[in-house]
Amino acid sequence: MAGDMNCYKGQSGETKRYSIQAVFDMMEEWGFKSAYHQKTGETLGKESMATYYHLFKEEPKFFLDYAFSNIPIKDFQLFEWNKEISDHVGQMIEI
């Protein structure tokens, strides 16, 4: 399962019920894991890369796009941002 979750850790208006942590908890209950976090070992909310550049600008940037899998991940790649194509960064998950 992959997509733009439109939320990030520490977002204004975030509540326990409506947060990326709630999404992660739900996915984990269903046996799904984030491909990015598995590959990098980074913690949710502490990502060193970005997947979205608001209004096509260098700042602010966010991590909003996730790929989850419930089977072993062979490889995962987060591509470099190309503002001529999208305000989001492409991802590839190999299972």
Side-chain angles (χ1 to χ4, degrees):
M1 181 183 304
D4 175 358
M5 301 299 169
N6 256 351
C7 56
Y8 56 92
K9 193 82 170 170
Q11 162 178 11
S12 175
E14 180 181 47
T15 66
K16 287 184 180 182
R17 185 171 181 189
Y18 302 107
S19 68
I20 192 59
Q21 185 65 60
V23 171
F24 262 63
D25 293 345
M26 178 181 64
M27 291 296 200
E28 195 166 282
E29 285 176 23
W30 294 345
F32 287 81
K33 303 254 186 224
S34 163
Y36 175 87
H37 294 89
Q38 279 189 73
K39 181 177 179 183
T40 64
E42 294 177 358
T43 309
L44 177 63
K46 305 284 186 195
E47 297 87 1
S48 61
M49 311 254 326
T51 64
Y52 173 66
Y53 292 81
H54 190 59
L55 300 175
F56 289 87
K57 297 180 182 176
E58 294 285 333
E59 297 292 335
K61 54 188 173 190
F62 303 95
F63 199 100
L64 300 178
D65 304 282
Y66 299 86
F68 295 94
S69 178
N70 64 351
I71 60 177
I73 296 166
K74 184 174 180 181
D75 193 19
F76 175 81
Q77 186 172 2
L78 191 62
F79 296 100
E80 288 188 31
W81 178 48
N82 183 336
K83 66 181 175 181
E84 301 299 319
I85 296 174
S86 177
D87 52 354
H88 291 265
V89 175
Q91 298 183 43
M92 179 183 69
I93 182 172
E94 184 178 357
I95 50 176

